[in-house]
Amino acid sequence: MKYSELVEVYEQLDGTTKRLHYTHIISEFLKTINEGDLSSVVLLLEGRIFSRQDDSEIGIASKILVKAISIASGIQKEKINEDWKGSGDLGTTAYNLIKKKKQVTLASQDLTIEKVLKNLRELAIMEGSGSVDRKISLIAELLTSATPAEAKYIARTILDDMRIGVGEGTIRDSIVWAFFGEKLKVQYVKEEHKVEIEDRELYNKYVGAVQGAYDVTNDFVPVAKAAKKGLEALQKVEMEIGNPIKVMLALKAKNIEEAFERCGKPAEFEYKYDGMRMQIHKDGGKVKIFTRRLENITQQFPEVVEYVKSHIREDKVILDSEAVGYDKKAGRYLPFQNISQRIKRKHGIEDLSKKFPVEVNVFDVINYRGKTTTKLPFKDRKEILKKIIDEKEKKIVLAKSITTSDEQAVSDFYRAALDSGNEGLMAKKLDAPYKPGGRVGYMVKLKPTKENLDLMIVAAEWGDGKRSEWITSYTLACIDENNNLLEVGKASTGLKEKNEEGLSFDDLTKLLKPLVTKESGKGLLVKPKIVLEIGYEELQKSPTYTSGYALRFPRVIKLREDLGKNDIATLEMIESAYGEQKK
Ligand code: AMP
């Protein structure tokens, strides 16, 4: 299939902001795709080049791309950087410069999506000496045969920044419209940006089927393929041990009473540990561990692999848990920050696992004996857990819990949780299923303090005077329901100087520098990759920031390497925190 056909769709998507219109464009396109091309098309539409099971990353710095554009366009690097400063997007710059060149050279050869995928995938596996040059020439080769518009999207795919706001809900609905639209009589009325559906109930059933298949695979590629075959195939899509699925998220309760309101009586209350989420897959002798962002961190936690092999009495399971670090010498639990450094480690892993080992607190089971357990009520899942975990303190245990209807009992348990250094409690609804990726109130957290906000750095500024070598001010954003990042303030306190213990300006500068997309004076625009947990005094309404809110006295609490764009505070959360505060 020609890449240009896909690029035409990208361009159409770029030209709209309406969700229903996106859905229409994608679904019409999907209808035309034959089975053989469907996987590649779905991947590329999402701006991905690897399946979810594949951890590979392209990992190309903007600098390399600039060189490749320079070779393909015959234009000097300086000129490219200049255009980039103006456009703020290297994809647009690739478009501009390839266009200049194309006016003087012959028509390009047709690029296929296979060719684009093949070259981009090769980028990820090139290693060793001379690999940078080979990467540059591989990209340049693509760009040379690309039209300006193709070059734009090749560049954006490489940078993992498609700039078309297609969220998961949109892709899900597009699949429904594409493969069941005729049967369900879905009519999109373009002029009014609305959709007419004959039988809502039936429609919702199909949406539920697509969503259900996505929940257990976390990948629209197999979902689209099954949907093309029909409803039955869709309902047969199963979870595979080894492929991570999204974790269920929590809502917040103000107090014990509200926790009961949400979860009913009796409810289960568990310690809320201050550690990191681990989704653990066991398939015989093979164990894999994923973070809540579904990154594979098996290598980094060898001790957990051992615990699971020796103390889980079942061969095929997926567990949900919180791993807490502790100081072996002092025998006390440690804040999250101490084990978070283990996530990215490539060297000295054994040493770190000895110095800061983790205790795994298991609280849910998602797959048991190869079968999905998400639809079972929580209390049944808990029974399974009790059966299969051979508890060993400081290694692997069940999360501490009580099941009760009594507020006083919860209050005592809450106090005990806090006294032993935990964040609070998690209340859980006994008859609720496990909803992957859902923040649906089947688990509700009880925490005493005002909630910090996890926010994305979208812009930054160089410091003054003796801090001029560091980036010292960070513009922070939350996310709205259309995946737009909206600014809520700037933080420049809470960080340490270079050689002090803890997160420093120097650390953040090093992380931010490769992400800079535009620089003017002291101001920088950066790719949205870095999430900070931010404490603040108060929220104010403010016209200064695009969210309409401003944080008063924001301060950096910590770096959240475990969080990504989907995990940050939503505009809705900010609005509700503002509402709370007014009360
Ligand atoms: P928060 O990150 O504040 O929204 O709280 C939810 C997180 O608490 C989960 O993603 C888990 O990482 C963590 N957590 C700690 N203890 C538990 C528990 N017993 N049950 C569920 N989640 C827990």
Side-chain angles (χ1 to χ4, degrees):
M1 193 185 136
K2 283 195 213 152
Y3 186 56
S4 58
E5 291 173 45
L6 181 64
V7 166
E8 217 170 279
V9 174
Y10 287 141
E11 290 281 56
Q12 286 177 35
L13 293 171
D14 214 5
T16 185
T17 53
K18 300 259 191 303
R19 184 174 157 178
L20 290 175
H21 195 193
Y22 283 134
T23 312
H24 175 68
I25 294 167
I26 298 173
S27 65
E28 288 301 304
F29 180 54
L30 288 180
K31 278 182 195 168
T32 67
I33 308 296
N34 64 37
E35 208 182 329
D37 289 328
L38 195 56
S39 302
S40 306
V41 165
V42 172
L43 275 182
L44 286 168
L45 265 176
E46 289 187 277
R48 296 190 289 138
I49 59 164
F50 294 107
S51 72
R52 289 269 191 249
Q53 289 83 283
D54 193 330
D55 295 329
S56 311
E57 280 182 45
I58 310 190
I60 294 289
S62 318
K63 241 172 45 194
I64 290 184
L65 188 54
V66 169
K67 282 196 187 140
I69 297 174
S70 171
I71 293 172
S73 65
I75 292 170
Q76 299 218 314
K77 265 190 327 205
E78 294 68 29
K79 281 258 160 61
I80 296 175
N81 282 325
E82 207 170 285
D83 189 280
W84 181 19
K85 268 193 183 159
S87 71
D89 162 34
L90 211 38
T92 305
T93 291
Y95 176 93
N96 294 342
L97 302 182
I98 299 285
K99 192 166 177 186
K100 263 194 198 144
K101 147 130 194 269
K102 288 282 142 113
Q103 284 163 353
V104 289
T105 53
L106 294 168
S108 52
Q109 83 192 68
D110 276 345
L111 270 180
T112 61
I113 55 174
E114 289 76 32
K115 171 79 181 163
V116 173
L117 272 178
K118 181 173 164 282
N119 274 31
L120 296 187
R121 282 175 179 157
E122 268 173 47
L123 291 176
I125 46 177
M126 283 183 180
E127 272 184 291
S129 74
S131 64
V132 170
D133 286 336
R134 277 182 291 136
K135 284 179 185 177
I136 295 173
S137 63
L138 207 56
I139 303 172
E141 186 201 333
L142 276 181
L143 295 179
T144 307
S145 13
T147 63
E150 286 173 341
K152 171 157 118 190
Y153 292 99
I154 289 170
R156 288 183 179 179
T157 306
I158 289 174
L159 293 174
D160 187 19
D161 186 9
M162 293 304 283
R163 295 174 174 242
I164 35 182
V166 181
E168 286 176 357
T170 308
I171 300 208
R172 177 197 64 204
D173 294 352
S174 308
I175 290 174
V176 176
W177 293 17
F179 302 117
F180 306 108
E182 218 163 291
K183 180 186 170 67
L184 296 167
K185 305 221 169 63
V186 175
Q187 284 285 351
Y188 172 65
V189 190
K190 187 165 181 217
E191 298 69 36
E192 301 170 49
H193 282 304
K194 70 170 194 188
V195 62
E196 281 163 6
I197 288 159
E198 201 177 64
D199 180 346
R200 266 282 160 189
E201 211 173 298
L202 190 65
Y203 176 78
N204 288 340
K205 183 180 153 196
Y206 279 80
V207 172
V210 173
Q211 180 67 47
Y214 183 63
D215 280 351
V216 295
T217 54
N218 191 35
D219 189 347
F220 281 118
V221 171
V223 176
K225 280 166 104 174
K228 195 173 167 69
K229 294 204 182 90
L231 183 64
E232 212 174 298
L234 204 50
Q235 285 164 336
K236 280 208 193 110
V237 173
E238 249 291 3
M239 180 181 294
E240 269 177 52
I241 299 181
N243 294 345
I245 64 161
K246 291 218 177 81
V247 300
M248 181 159 73
L249 302 167
L251 282 177
K252 201 188 164 213
K254 279 200 294 290
N255 49 37
I256 296 170
E257 203 185 326
E258 196 185 284
F260 272 124
E261 268 165 35
R262 287 228 176 252
C263 298
K265 279 185 180 178
E268 173 139 335
F269 291 82
E270 292 173 350
Y271 276 13
K272 183 176 189 312
Y273 300 93
D274 181 15
M276 72 183 275
R277 190 94 175 238
M278 276 190 183
Q279 187 181 99
I280 304 173
H281 293 234
K282 179 180 182 194
D283 190 357
K286 271 190 284 173
V287 174
K288 283 193 194 172
I289 311 167
F290 300 94
T291 63
R292 67 182 262 171
R293 288 176 64 192
L294 314 185
E295 291 160 318
N296 188 335
I297 47 161
T298 314
Q299 297 272 327
Q300 283 79 1
F301 291 88
E303 79 274 30
V304 175
V305 173
E306 275 317 303
Y307 304 158
V308 171
K309 281 187 185 163
S310 338
H311 304 298
I312 299 297
R313 304 189 194 99
E314 185 56 56
D315 262 0
K316 285 181 181 288
V317 279
I318 302 178
L319 305 172
D320 198 354
S321 70
E322 184 85 353
V324 201
Y326 64 92
D327 186 328
K328 214 164 182 180
K329 261 200 204 131
R332 63 184 164 87
Y333 289 99
L334 293 169
F336 168 74
Q337 203 70 10
N338 286 282
I339 54 163
S340 78
Q341 56 173 314
R342 292 187 55 183
I343 302 175
K344 295 265 152 80
R345 267 306 174 101
K346 298 235 157 61
H347 308 286
I349 287 171
E350 284 295 334
D351 281 352
L352 263 188
S353 90
K354 293 218 170 75
K355 201 162 151 210
F356 299 122
V358 294
E359 176 186 69
V360 182
N361 295 270
V362 185
F363 54 77
D364 219 321
V365 58
I366 303 168
N367 189 301
Y368 174 55
R369 298 189 169 162
K371 292 246 158 24
T372 306
T373 52
T374 49
K375 296 208 170 77
L376 294 178
F378 177 64
K379 59 176 185 306
D380 294 2
R381 302 201 303 275
K382 205 66 193 246
E383 285 309 313
I384 295 175
L385 284 183
K386 285 182 189 154
K387 242 178 18 202
I388 62 176
I389 301 184
D390 167 23
E391 291 191 83
K392 289 276 177 289
E393 281 289 316
K394 297 278 165 65
K395 289 186 174 171
I396 189 162
V397 291
L398 278 162
K400 263 205 181 56
S401 71
I402 56 169
T403 308
T404 182
S405 305
D406 178 20
E407 283 194 23
Q408 188 54 48
V410 179
S411 178
D412 296 343
F413 192 56
Y414 194 3
R415 174 78 14 236
L418 294 175
D419 286 348
S420 48
N422 298 290
E423 279 190 324
L425 294 181
M426 263 310 178
K428 304 201 171 171
K429 193 170 159 67
L430 291 178
D431 56 5
Y434 188 99
K435 177 74 186 114
R439 206 183 277 285
V440 279
Y442 299 157
M443 58 181 206
V444 187
K445 59 193 166 191
L446 274 168
K447 281 208 271 191
T449 49
K450 178 159 65 186
E451 192 93 9
N452 293 332
L453 294 170
D454 300 316
L455 298 167
M456 182 70 82
I457 305 182
V458 291
E461 244 174 63
W462 289 104
D464 291 315
K466 75 178 180 41
R467 290 183 171 179
S468 60
E469 64 188 295
W470 297 322
I471 299 170
T472 57
S473 165
Y474 316 99
T475 305
L476 303 158
C478 63
I479 194 163
D480 73 3
E481 56 190 20
N482 293 322
N483 260 338
N484 298 311
L485 291 165
L486 303 176
E487 294 171 3
V488 286
K490 288 182 188 171
S492 48
T493 59
L495 290 157
K496 304 291 183 340
E497 298 273 322
K498 189 169 174 181
N499 291 321
E500 294 171 336
E501 176 112 357
L503 184 67
S504 68
F505 289 118
D506 195 55
D507 295 333
L508 266 190
T509 304
K510 286 196 182 110
L511 288 171
L512 285 169
K513 260 174 136 176
L515 302 176
V516 172
T517 55
K518 193 172 174 185
E519 187 154 3
S520 69
K522 281 198 303 180
L524 304 166
L525 287 183
V526 297
K527 265 210 219 170
K529 293 276 177 204
I530 310 251
V531 178
L532 296 177
E533 185 175 323
I534 300 292
Y536 64 99
E537 291 306 315
E538 200 186 10
L539 273 164
Q540 295 174 319
K541 287 234 177 197
S542 156
T544 316
Y545 298 109
T546 44
S547 65
Y549 292 92
L551 298 171
R552 223 164 100 79
F553 304 126
R555 61 189 183 283
V556 179
I557 307 290
K558 58 185 156 188
L559 179 65
R560 292 297 304 256
E561 283 173 298
D562 58 326
L563 302 185
K565 200 169 163 185
N566 291 330
D567 307 305
I568 63 173
T570 58
L571 183 60
E572 205 185 335
M573 283 158 81
I574 305 251
E575 279 162 353
S576 100
Y578 179 76
E580 270 311 297
Q581 169 188 301
K582 272 184 34 190
K583 274 191 204 156

